[in-house]
Amino acid sequence: MKYLYYALYLFDVKIAHVQDFYPPIITVTGTMAFLIGALCYSIVNVFEDGIEGHQYPYYSLIVALSVSLILYKILYDYYKKREAKLLKEMKHKPLWVKIISIVGSLCFIVLVVKLWMFEGMSDLYQFIKQQLFLK
């Protein structure tokens, strides 16, 4: 999680320049909460898709937003105390560790978006189900 935080922090500070308007911790923890919420929501959707004739309840969006807001608050409180220490620690890491952390975080973000937005979790579930149980 600290490498994901560092990669998002670098994006916000170096590319988006959010520090001119408000502290970067706000967008970084918000993005992390959204990614974790989207990953959990895609897992729940896989199991709900398996129920025949199931329609998503109207409150499912409210539940997902509530979980993301709670995660945001937890992550914000956690990183508020540890942000300076984490950035100082990452400053002294070798360049190859920084590059690997940024690339790994980017892969994680792309994977979560793929699993959430493009029915990737359902495809993965069907593939595993066919490989394990239909042989």
Side-chain angles (χ1 to χ4, degrees), residues 88-104:
K88 184 179 176 185
E89 176 187 330
M90 290 302 290
K91 187 177 184 179
H92 298 295
K93 297 262 185 196
L95 182 63
W96 65 272
V97 172
K98 294 177 185 178
I99 292 172
I100 289 174
S101 69
I102 292 170
V103 170

